[in-house]
Amino acid sequence: MKGTLSLRRSSADLSLQPLSVLRGVGPQLTAKLAQFGLATLQDLLFHLPLRYIDRTKVSPIGGLQPNSEVVIEGEVRAADVVFGRRRSLVCRLQDSSGVVTLRFFHFNRAQQAQLVAGTRLRCFGEVRRGSAGLELYHPEYRIAAGAEPLPLEERLTPIYPASEGITQLRLRDLCSQALERVSRAERDQHSLAELLPAELLPETSSRYSLLAALQLLHHPPANTDQGRLAAGEHPAQQRLVVEELIAHQLSMLKLRARVQSYNAPALKEAGELCNQFIGSLPFPLTAAQRRVSEEIGADLTAAKPMLRLLQGDVGAGKTVVAALAALQAIGAGYQAALMAPTEILAEQHRDTLTSWLTPLGIKVGWLSGKQKGKAREMQLAAVADGSAQLVVGTHALFQDEVVFAKLALTVIDEQHRFGVEQRLTLRRKGHAGSVPHQLIMTATPIPRTLAMSAYADLDCSVIDQLPPGRTPVETLALAEQRRSDVMQRVRAACNEGRQAYWVCTLIEESESLAAQAAEATAAELQLQLPELRVALVHGRLKPREKSEIMAQFKAGEINLLVATTVIEVGVDVPNASLMIIENAERLGLSQLHQLRGRVGRGSAVSHCVLLYAPPLGRIASERLRTMRATNDGFAIAEKDLQLRGPGELLGTRQTGDLQLRIADLQRDGHLLPGARQSAEQLFSQAPERVEALLVRWLGDRDQYADA
Ligand code: ADP
Ligand code: MG
């Protein structure tokens, strides 16, 4: 393998030449292209079309379909200026198969003189459904004079991702020039390095050299299978997809190697302390909790930083596992930090952990963004002198003035809200040249394909078992006309001594509008259900008010809690057995699943009612059906990936990490395991190829430079 993998690159690698070698590229354009991430010929060659239009053949007018881009040819039958809502020039163009309307809103006298009955035209444009049947608005057109037919394109026309100041025409010209240069050079020297050994390519694709694949994708011949091309399944595309996935895996392997090159405190297992803790819990650990705790415990004993993702469905009992990890750090004389994404969740962790750990003589510190003055100073001091052994908090833990005496472990709850960058920031809080271990916990199960890509730098543990005695939540979807029935359900549940959540959602992201809606709903519910104690919690309340209400709800003093989606994560009230989600059609699957996870924590059968406003769109009804069909977070996550795609699933923050140019995780996910293997092989055996692949596919986006 070693022999075949070593890379011969000509010193004058043409593809790495700057774009200024191309005709028409001066300093100004160079700068614009650079802003767009295009600096070398190679960058341009890998700037692939988004789609293609077909100008290789003339379509019969009689067979036109709306929403297609076509070339047509015919004779103008009539042309009139029409004074409708807007003045327009309307031409009827006819060929032997049919007639279609061309409509121009902007036109001048010369055009009006040209477009008269009897003129033969060749047009290109998009067919739409208009008031007078099928129409082309502002088509490009040429007059077909004389007997010679107008020439047609021989290849499909690429449409590139473009940006301000860089037009399609310009990109087409530059890409053609770049291809031509590289192909010309191909004959005498190797100018576009094949970085993947043939044995790493899928069989169907290996008949395309890299250059041939790029040529096809920039300039597909007229007979190219357009269906496969549009679906991204052409072998030439797959040739590149595999290479891109490998490059992406390599970047993750590199990140991981860099992380592992740091030192971390080796934490001996805290046998006695842990046993004491486990013995003090009112329940035994589940087998899954024990297993993942052992995995984590073993990582922590190493002098390399742990980087581990802990997945476990809502209610699986991740907090206990986090506490055990923290105890290992504390037992070894270090500090641990636990960070949560919201104030409510952080407070809840603070309370749980304080009640668990204080009896063991451990001091729990607290840092939140809202904390001010003396209280804050005291907390900061306790963190800095090490007397706070476990520090719980929100993003406030990231701030510069937070200095730990001896931090050995950070636990991040609900990872999907933090990006890679953020999780790297906490690492800088280590001490004496060492980096803390990291445990990242998520209740949003991550589909395998995503875990293998966005999270490929992490090890993974899964709690695949719920604590015993939980009964699955029964879910039903009801149209909002049934609202008063639903209120009766709430009444019945509360009369039996149980509690309920009523969640209000809004399309607008504005927390203040959501709060208003929730206020109105709470008032209405209180009116309809006068005998119940109804309370309201939303993101605009002061943290103190919020936690007071949560505490009252937990203590059973409130029957019905009306809330915005702030209760999404972490709230733990086992006596609550009914969850109503209003406008459920507006929420994504993972959010619905998270919300539903607030109930079903006790032994009573719990219900979740998804109230929706009909009519439901396809995706919304698919989501509600999925929610009714399963409680399994992993099945839901897979469905979510299918319905939304990886970008949305990860949240905007993390899509940056996944800027795939041509690969598509849904379509190409099956190629990931192979890509992973190939990447490992290359990483250990051909480091110079690794660098070249990273430059080619990720450019100089060395996103994790300070990892
Ligand atoms: P999540 O994984 O969603 O963070 P939590 O850690 O909040 O779950 O645990 C949910 C509830 O289950 C808590 O009330 C917790 O005390 C309880 N719990 C955790 N582990 C067990 C167990 N092994 N047996 C019974 N209850 C448990
Ligand atoms: Mg939790």
Side-chain angles (χ1 to χ4, degrees):
M1 186 93 191
K2 192 122 204 162
T4 55
L5 275 181
S6 78
L7 178 67
R8 256 192 354 230
R9 304 192 82 186
S10 70
S11 52
D13 187 334
L14 196 63
S15 62
L16 295 180
Q17 286 183 354
L19 290 175
S20 54
V21 302
L22 300 180
R23 274 188 321 275
V25 183
Q28 255 191 345
L29 186 56
T30 303
K32 268 187 205 154
L33 289 164
Q35 265 179 6
F36 199 39
L38 303 175
T40 62
L41 293 187
Q42 173 167 284
D43 293 340
L44 197 59
L45 292 172
F46 284 81
H47 188 67
L48 296 166
L50 291 169
R51 60 188 186 92
Y52 303 90
I53 50 185
D54 187 354
R55 303 173 82 150
T56 65
K57 57 178 187 295
V58 174
S59 303
I61 290 176
L64 295 183
Q65 296 295 326
N67 308 319
S68 54
E69 284 170 311
V70 292
V71 178
I72 52 175
E73 196 167 314
E75 192 178 305
V76 177
R77 302 297 306 173
D80 298 293
V81 176
V82 175
F83 296 88
R85 215 151 33 92
R86 275 173 78 187
R87 196 173 79 108
S88 57
L89 175 61
V90 173
C91 300
R92 302 281 291 162
L93 191 74
Q94 182 172 43
D95 71 1
S96 58
S97 68
V99 190
V100 71
T101 299
L102 315 178
R103 192 183 289 273
F104 300 86
F105 290 109
H106 307 282
F107 55 92
N108 54 33
R109 278 181 191 289
Q111 270 175 312
Q112 216 176 326
Q114 270 178 339
L115 299 174
V116 289
T119 309
R120 280 198 73 72
L121 292 182
R122 160 83 58 83
C123 300
F124 173 79
E126 191 187 345
V127 184
R128 301 201 220 166
R129 228 184 274 285
S131 50
L134 293 182
E135 302 191 350
L136 279 73
Y137 294 127
H138 281 276
E140 293 173 29
Y141 69 89
R142 282 171 72 179
I143 310 254
E148 281 293 293
L150 290 172
L152 282 160
E153 300 282 339
E154 283 167 14
R155 294 169 181 279
L156 304 182
T157 310
I159 304 289
Y160 292 101
S163 92
E164 210 174 318
I166 313 173
T167 61
Q168 289 297 334
L169 280 179
R170 176 73 83 177
L171 279 168
R172 270 175 223 159
D173 170 54
L174 294 180
C175 287
S176 302
Q177 285 192 56
L179 270 178
E180 198 178 314
R181 266 178 182 259
V182 176
S183 337
R184 219 181 317 124
E186 186 88 345
R187 278 174 234 131
D188 15 282
Q189 84 197 94
H190 204 75
S191 72
L192 188 64
E194 291 280 357
L195 295 171
L196 295 185
E199 67 263 29
L200 296 190
L201 290 170
E203 227 169 287
T204 48
S205 301
S206 55
R207 65 192 158 88
Y208 282 93
S209 71
L210 182 60
L211 182 62
L214 289 170
Q215 271 164 336
L216 185 131
L217 295 177
H218 284 286
H219 296 148
N223 65 358
T224 308
D225 181 339
Q226 291 193 47
R228 285 177 98 182
L229 203 56
E233 284 163 0
H234 194 282
Q237 286 165 313
Q238 294 293 301
R239 162 73 181 74
L240 295 181
V241 163
V242 168
E243 187 168 321
E244 177 168 39
L245 290 177
I246 290 176
H248 191 260
Q249 290 294 320
L250 285 170
S251 77
M252 289 298 193
L253 288 174
K254 194 174 157 191
L255 172 61
R256 195 186 161 83
R258 201 168 339 159
V259 167
Q260 302 221 316
S261 71
Y262 289 96
N263 291 322
L267 308 169
K268 62 177 188 324
E269 297 198 19
E272 192 38 45
L273 196 54
C274 289
N275 287 339
Q276 225 182 317
F277 169 63
I278 294 170
S280 73
L281 291 172
F283 46 76
L285 298 189
T286 62
Q289 283 170 320
R290 278 201 308 274
R291 176 174 44 76
V292 301
S293 292
E294 271 163 30
E295 289 166 4
I296 294 165
D299 277 6
L300 294 177
T301 57
K304 288 182 308 189
M306 168 178 82
L307 202 50
R308 188 172 279 277
L309 183 67
L310 174 59
Q311 297 189 57
D313 214 335
V314 238
K318 293 183 289 296
T319 320
V320 176
V321 174
L324 279 168
L327 284 177
Q328 190 162 339
I330 294 165
Y334 289 87
Q335 289 168 296
L338 188 152
M339 182 168 69
T342 66
E343 200 82 22
I344 288 190
L345 182 55
E347 280 173 16
Q348 176 161 316
H349 277 317
R350 177 197 60 196
D351 298 346
T352 309
L353 290 162
T354 306
S355 73
W356 282 345
L357 302 185
T358 314
L360 305 179
I362 290 166
K363 187 168 168 217
V364 177
W366 167 245
L367 280 175
S368 92
K370 313 257 163 81
Q371 219 167 22
K372 295 269 151 17
K374 193 89 187 135
R376 179 174 174 76
E377 270 165 41
M378 277 172 53
Q379 290 292 346
L380 283 174
V383 174
D385 69 18
S387 59
Q389 293 158 290
L390 171 63
V391 186
V392 180
T394 57
H395 294 74
L397 291 173
F398 284 131
Q399 291 161 356
D400 283 342
E401 68 265 36
V402 181
V403 181
F404 288 85
K406 252 186 136 185
L407 182 63
L409 168 71
T410 55
V411 181
I412 303 181
D413 200 8
E414 306 299 344
Q415 151 69 12
H416 65 295
R417 296 175 173 228
F418 298 109
V420 174
E421 262 161 65
Q422 274 175 306
R423 84 184 178 228
L424 293 174
T425 316
L426 257 190
R427 280 238 293 285
R428 298 199 208 104
K429 303 270 182 199
H431 91 118
S434 88
V435 154
H437 299 282
Q438 246 186 62
L439 178 65
I440 292 151
M441 307 198 291
T442 173
T444 309
I446 299 166
R448 205 173 115 75
T449 44
L450 274 190
M452 284 198 66
S453 42
Y455 297 92
D457 60 323
L458 306 177
D459 291 309
C460 198
S461 295
V462 181
I463 308 186
D464 49 7
Q465 177 184 25
L466 292 179
R470 302 266 168 92
T471 22
V473 181
E474 287 174 16
T475 301
L476 55 162
L478 295 178
E480 68 183 1
Q481 287 82 340
R482 306 272 304 275
R483 211 179 151 84
S484 55
D485 296 352
V486 176
M487 288 186 201
Q488 292 320 313
R489 258 178 186 274
V490 172
R491 168 171 282 149
C494 293
N495 283 341
E496 281 171 32
R498 293 205 299 277
Q499 293 165 277
Y501 298 98
W502 190 293
V503 180
C504 305
T505 56
L506 262 203
I507 302 177
E508 286 86 350
E509 283 293 292
S510 144
E511 184 57 50
S512 74
L513 285 177
Q516 278 174 29
E519 259 164 43
T521 306
E524 179 206 355
L525 288 168
Q526 183 68 81
L527 198 69
Q528 301 291 332
L529 305 167
E531 77 279 21
L532 299 187
R533 275 152 304 165
V534 179
L536 169 67
V537 42
H538 55 66
R540 302 266 289 192
L541 294 182
K542 296 212 173 66
R544 256 242 328 278
E545 299 170 311
K546 247 189 284 186
S547 48
E548 268 165 26
I549 295 172
M550 294 314 297
Q552 286 172 13
F553 188 61
K554 208 164 179 165
E557 292 157 18
I558 292 168
N559 304 113
L560 173 61
L561 186 67
V562 180
T564 56
T565 47
V566 295
I567 62 149
E568 182 182 343
V569 279
V571 178
D572 186 29
V573 181
N575 190 46
S577 66
L578 178 57
M579 160 75 56
I580 318 292
I581 304 174
E582 266 198 274
N583 298 315
E585 78 280 3
R586 293 174 183 169
L587 297 182
L589 270 176
S590 79
Q591 219 179 353
L592 289 170
H593 180 64
Q594 292 281 316
L595 285 169
R596 180 173 61 182
R598 301 307 113 219
V599 293
R601 297 188 159 216
S603 47
V605 178
S606 293
H607 291 93
C608 176
V609 179
L610 306 171
L611 267 180
Y612 64 89
L616 286 177
R618 185 186 66 81
I619 292 191
S621 69
E622 188 79 346
R623 279 197 216 118
L624 298 191
R625 186 169 49 233
T626 306
M627 289 297 291
R628 291 206 315 271
T630 180
N631 275 294
D632 175 351
F634 279 89
I636 289 174
E638 291 286 353
K639 190 77 197 175
D640 207 17
L641 178 63
Q642 227 180 64
L643 292 177
R644 293 204 292 170
E648 275 193 75
L649 202 57
L650 289 169
T652 41
R653 232 174 208 299
Q654 290 184 341
T655 42
D657 306 342
L658 264 182
Q659 277 168 2
L660 296 171
R661 296 187 186 191
I662 178 163
D664 173 308
L665 288 180
Q666 261 160 280
R667 184 189 65 211
D668 306 318
H670 65 283
L671 297 170
L672 268 170
R676 176 70 177 194
Q677 249 178 14
S678 306
E680 275 164 5
Q681 212 170 55
L682 286 168
F683 197 73
S684 60
Q685 298 175 18
E688 73 286 5
R689 281 178 193 251
V690 171
E691 282 316 307
L693 278 164
L694 290 176
V695 168
R696 175 177 290 169
W697 287 99
L698 287 92
D700 47 10
R701 289 192 283 138
D702 197 354
Q703 330 157 56
Y704 312 121
D706 58 353

